[in-house]
Amino acid sequence: MGPTVHSPQEPGLPAPAPSEAAAVSNLGRLAVTIDRLRRQIQEAQRAAEGRALIEVAKGILIERLQCGLAGAAQQLELLAEQAGVTQLELAAEIINQAAQDRISEATREFLDSARAAAEAEAAEAAEVAVRLRSAENGMVEAPDAQAVAASLLEHALKPLGATNVAVWTVGSDGSLTLAASAGFSAVEADRWRYVPPGVNTPARSALVERQAVWIRSLEDVGLPSIGMTLTPDGGRVTVPAGTGGRIMGVLEIGWPGPVGPQPPQVHKQVEALAELCSHVLERPVEPGGGAGQAELIGLAEALPDAALVLQPHLDADGRLTDFRITHANPHFVDPAGRPKGAVTGSLLLEAYPLAADEGGLFSVVENVHATGEPFKAENMTLTALVDDVPLPSLASVSITRHGDGVLLIWRLQDEITRLASLLQHAQRLGRIGGFEENTLSGEITWNRQLYDLYGMKPGESPIPLERLADHAHPDDAVLIGRFLRTLLHHRRPASTAFRLQRSDGMARHIRVVAEPVLSPDGRLLAVRGAYQDVSSQHWTEVALAATRDQLAHTEQQAAERNRLALQLQQAIMPPSRGPMEAFDLNIAVRYRPAEKEHLVGGDWYDAVVLPSKQILLSVGDVAGHGIEAATGMVVLRNALRGLAATGAGPGQLLTWLNMVAHHLTENVTATAICGLYDPETGVLRWARGGHLPPILIRGDEVAELDLIGGVLLGALSEVTYEESRIQLVPGDTLLMYTDGLIERRDRSLQHSQQQLLRTAGHPAASLEHRLDHMLTHSNSDTDDDTCLVGIQLIAPGAS
């Protein structure tokens, strides 16, 4: 019998059964065998890759030394022995010297930085060349894009600590398609097979910036990308991959954790790998040159605007340096006035050297060619040199990529001006005058017809829109105010008709139409529009209106009631009143009636000097609309005037006014503010009955007065109203208003009050201009009538 072998066993555990022990032993032997075979396969792969590099190096030596294969092998062995490196490392260096490509640059920088380093670092530097050339060899021999990604990861990226890689192709619309990946699961790759244009990802950042983008951690930037759920804190670098200035794809490399700053040598390695991807990237290539060039020229010939066909111009290293103008269509108009033959065949920067300015035409063309994303601008400055003098021209520009070529289309504003001249006769016959106001510079432009409509001579100062009411019939001030508010505050197109009072005494019926010009961020840049003389049309309509049948009796009665209510309201409170000075106060009032006659309400304002030399200031709002609200307003307004003659304070006056509303009227309720200003002390006493508090403007500060108690007038039979006082100082402005100034259907009252405070703080040359600005830019949308009273304490010595 042979010797007995005892396997080790932990104390206290039963010995495994003979069959189980045999199974464990066999499984261990199988694992060892698999590991040994895997190492042998990897060594065989590395040996094969090394042999491929060595064979390429031998071929270079055969060509350079004019020797045979055996001589090249002997030279390689001898040189490696003399240099103290392996034949594989020497082969990589020979290939770098011969290729002089991006890989050569990367390895040369790495080797240069390592020459003064320790021997281990120098060995690592030499290994970089081997890794990159092995990756190149593996990518060339790879049967598909997926194998390319696997070769990249295995040979070049794993030594850098990376665990995954993705290769994206770029569509003409800026979309990204996953061409290949390694280190990700099949499910994850399928989820990210397509990224629509406009979705911000790390890969798109490299496409937009056209340079490598290093991201310490995906969590830091919050950008979605492939594999983000597995390594949310992983680092990334994305590098555009392309040749000749044209980006064909993006290489994205991922690490399992955050990535710190990398040395320049690593940056060079990554860029070299991206260039390798651009040569072997499997994606549909758009045709360029040949039939594609002829097709692009045909497209340019069919366009109605000036068009240039551009082709990329590359240097000896294949880098984009300029674009050659290969064709100009028959409609081409040069900004410098040169014929198209003078620019066709030349380089873009030779024909237009000032296009190289930062953000200029060349950079835009370069970006379109690189990314494929089209560009369009309505007003772009094109600058040409005429006798060494820059000549700028505004143009409408469109740039698109077709295959490898670029189509540049422009229409100079001079052309637009010539086309616009064809409209001048039509404007003259239609008695139409055009204008444009630049809200940033204040510059106003009128055409000749508009000067004729106003009866003014060309060269006189044009009249700005905000002063339009000064040249119109006083009864049209409300219509003009609504027109300006819609146009300048709401920034929407608007139109209105008014009676123009010319300086020569003639009156004309004019219709004005205007629209705002807004920047991309919503700022008002300018206002454009036209005036038309519609006097003939107006008198024709008047003549026709005189022959119409009268309205039905009920409609006529309702219209009469609304008319009487409006007349009653306007008789007491005209829309505006000239400034009033009382002692040291400057007082101005504004009233804006309801937009629809049947909504005529009961808002009122009052400012009067009392026998006691105090000044009564009040605003109020009677609930409801129509003749009842208007008559109730008259009762309360006149009652307050009479009660104020007693010399009582504002709190007592509102107590008595509440009794009038409750007992002496038919169900009238109202809100009101009553104020008494004493010129001798500068103290304003005030009380409120359910009304919004006044606004005080002192210097640069704008705030509401503290709210005091006071219920609605007429709601209860006996009410006591609180009274407050404020000491005014020279320069103070106090504003009292009714809720028609701020009411909105879609906003809270608090939000509207905050908006009003911002509007009230807008700089104004005078109290009148401040009130006009507040009416124009008020934020209300309920069509209710509005009262606004402004009180300004005049500074000593001010006029």
Side-chain angles (χ1 to χ4, degrees), residues 34 142 192 194 256 305 311 349 365 444 521 654 656 717 742 789:
I34 292 175
W192 285 89
Y194 177 75
D305 296 319
Q311 288 292 331
L349 292 180
V365 173
I444 303 175
D521 59 355
L654 286 188
W656 290 338
S717 60
I742 62 173
V789 178

Side-chain angles (χ1 to χ4, degrees), residues 705-735:
L705 298 185
D706 292 338
L707 194 65
I708 57 177
V711 301
L712 191 74
L713 296 176
L716 303 173
S717 60
E718 295 183 3
V719 181
T720 300
Y721 291 88
E722 294 182 18
E723 183 177 306
S724 181
R725 61 177 58 205
I726 179 172
Q727 178 70 53
L728 299 181
V729 298
D732 282 356
T733 298
L734 197 68
L735 303 173

Side-chain angles (χ1 to χ4, degrees), residues 299-624:
L299 175 60
E301 290 286 308
L303 293 173
D305 296 319
L308 295 177
V309 176
L310 310 176
Q311 288 292 331
H313 179 72
L314 311 179
D315 60 12
D317 295 328
R319 293 183 174 88
L320 178 70
T321 59
D322 206 340
F323 291 89
R324 183 154 319 264
I325 303 174
T326 59
H327 181 76
N329 72 350
H331 301 288
F332 172 75
V333 176
D334 182 61
R338 295 170 295 185
K340 67 177 184 178
V343 298
T344 304
S346 62
L347 296 176
L348 181 63
L349 292 180
E350 291 178 353
Y352 305 102
L354 297 183
D357 292 343
E358 184 176 356
L361 179 64
F362 183 82
S363 64
V364 175
V365 173
E366 185 181 24
N367 186 72
V368 171
H369 174 259
T371 65
E373 296 189 17
F375 171 84
K376 187 173 183 180
E378 293 297 329
N379 292 289
M380 186 175 184
T381 301
L382 302 180
T383 305
L385 284 176
V386 180
D387 297 330
D388 295 330
V389 177
L391 179 65
S393 301
L394 285 178
S396 175
V397 178
S398 175
I399 307 174
T400 52
R401 189 181 75 185
H402 302 265
D404 201 36
V406 176
L407 183 62
L408 169 60
I409 307 169
W410 68 45
R411 175 183 291 184
L412 297 180
Q413 292 290 359
D414 292 341
E415 289 185 80
I416 299 175
T417 302
R418 287 195 294 270
L419 293 175
S421 66
L422 299 176
L423 300 177
Q424 291 183 356
H425 294 295
Q427 291 179 347
R428 179 178 56 84
L429 294 175
R431 299 187 61 80
I432 299 174
F435 71 94
E436 179 177 295
E437 289 190 20
N438 188 317
T439 58
L440 300 181
S441 65
E443 182 182 2
I444 303 175
T445 304
W446 280 12
N447 65 1
R448 177 61 182 266
Q449 286 76 18
L450 188 51
Y451 280 101
D452 292 339
L453 288 183
Y454 268 83
M456 298 168 59
K457 296 180 180 180
E460 293 185 49
S461 298
I463 298 169
L465 281 176
E466 291 195 339
R467 301 273 70 87
L468 184 61
D470 298 341
H471 298 265
H473 193 282
D475 292 346
D476 296 333
V478 173
L479 296 176
I480 293 174
R482 290 178 184 144
F483 165 77
L484 294 177
R485 182 183 173 211
T486 301
L487 181 66
L488 302 179
H489 177 61
H490 293 298
R491 299 175 183 177
R492 298 197 302 262
S495 64
T496 191
F498 66 98
R499 287 163 286 182
L500 175 66
Q501 293 183 328
R502 304 193 336 177
S503 58
D504 57 8
M506 294 183 61
R508 307 297 296 176
H509 289 265
I510 301 294
R511 180 170 184 81
V512 58
V513 180
E515 64 178 4
V517 179
L518 304 179
S519 65
D521 59 355
R523 293 184 299 112
L524 181 63
L525 301 180
V527 176
R528 297 171 181 163
Y531 292 82
Q532 183 179 18
D533 188 344
V534 294
S535 300
S536 299
Q537 178 184 351
H538 170 76
W539 293 119
T540 301
E541 291 176 353
V542 170
L544 291 175
T547 63
R548 292 174 183 167
D549 294 334
Q550 294 184 342
L551 296 174
H553 177 68
T554 54
E555 293 180 351
Q556 185 179 15
Q557 185 179 31
E560 185 68 16
R561 286 171 57 86
N562 291 334
R563 186 183 63 82
L564 290 175
L566 183 61
Q567 287 180 344
L568 176 62
Q569 191 180 57
Q570 290 181 346
I572 298 174
M573 287 168 300
S576 64
R577 181 187 298 175
M580 166 188 172
E581 289 190 12
F583 299 101
D584 54 354
L585 282 188
N586 184 13
I587 304 172
V589 294
R590 290 292 185 271
Y591 175 73
R592 182 177 65 201
E595 188 166 345
K596 298 177 181 179
E597 290 187 355
H598 69 274
L599 292 178
V600 172
D603 287 19
W604 89 81
Y605 60 82
D606 203 0
V608 62
V609 179
L610 300 175
S612 62
K613 304 305 181 183
Q614 295 189 83
I615 301 173
L616 172 66
L617 304 167
S618 66
V619 292
D621 183 3
V622 173

